[in-house]
């Protein structure tokens, strides 16, 4: 009899992030309505920006899990809310790209699957990309 499959380890967007985005959209709309001064272009731009923020937050709510790993491979988010399964044989390398811009250092987790490259930041994972890379290396069968 086969043992049950090991549960997947998941990394997801922090629940506070979509709430912050939705709050920003509401505040932006309120300010636009209060301060529009009859300028329809300014109001339209504020509405478009608020809609973009709300759409971004919706993605976080609909598909909060950005990355999952189990003994058979990795599952990554693809598109707005879809997921793509990458077996370990398709994963060429997992690295962390560190870059400094304007005095701030940022890290991105890079999963190279040959034909596709998947990038995840700290906010996507809800964790440090270096720690996630280490967990992926440990989960990969040798």
């Amino acid at each position: 009899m086969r043992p049950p499959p090991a549960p997947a380890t998941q990394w997801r967007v922090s629940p506070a992030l979509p709430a912050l985005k939705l709050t920003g959209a509401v505040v932006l709309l309120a300010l636009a309505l209060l301060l529009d001064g009859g300028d329809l272009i300014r109001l339209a731009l504020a509405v478009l920006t608020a809609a973009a923020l709300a759409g971004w937050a919706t993605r976080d709510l609909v598909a909060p899990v950005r990355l999952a790993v189990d003994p058979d491979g990795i599952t990554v988010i693809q598109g707005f809310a879809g997921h793509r399964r990458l077996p370990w044989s398709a994963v060429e390398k997992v690295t962390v790209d560190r870059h400094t811009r304007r005095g701030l250092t940022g890290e991105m987790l890079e999963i190279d699957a040959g034909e596709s490259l998947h990038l995840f930041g700290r906010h996507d994972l809800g964790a440090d990309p270096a720690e996630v890379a280490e967990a992926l290396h440990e989960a990969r069968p040798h």
Side-chain angles (χ1 to χ4, degrees):
M1 210 171 148
R2 272 181 69 178
T9 302
Q10 299 178 340
W11 291 273
R12 61 182 51 235
V13 172
S14 167
L17 201 54
L20 184 63
K21 291 173 187 175
L22 288 172
T23 301
V26 169
V27 168
L28 182 63
L29 277 178
L31 285 173
L33 291 172
L34 287 172
L35 305 173
D36 74 342
D39 186 358
L40 292 179
I41 293 175
R42 187 182 308 168
L43 181 61
L45 287 174
V47 168
L48 285 173
T49 304
L53 267 175
W56 196 16
T58 300
R59 179 183 190 225
D60 293 346
L61 294 170
V62 171
V65 176
R66 297 294 198 253
L67 177 66
V69 64
D70 61 39
D72 297 325
I74 298 173
T75 303
V76 296
I77 192 161
Q78 181 173 340
F80 184 77
H83 289 88
R84 180 175 177 200
R85 182 78 177 146
L86 300 172
W88 284 117
S89 60
V91 178
E92 293 181 6
K93 64 180 176 176
V94 175
T95 58
V96 176
D97 177 40
R98 290 178 179 84
H99 55 276
T100 302
R101 195 173 286 150
R102 296 183 182 147
L104 299 173
T105 301
E107 292 183 335
M108 294 287 286
L109 175 68
E110 294 183 359
I111 299 173
D112 185 352
E115 296 179 11
S116 61
L117 181 65
H118 305 275
L119 304 171
F120 301 93
R122 178 181 297 276
H123 295 296
D124 290 318
L125 302 169
D128 179 32
E131 292 174 8
V132 176
E134 185 176 322
L136 293 177
H137 287 295
E138 289 174 6
R140 186 174 195 151
H142 299 289

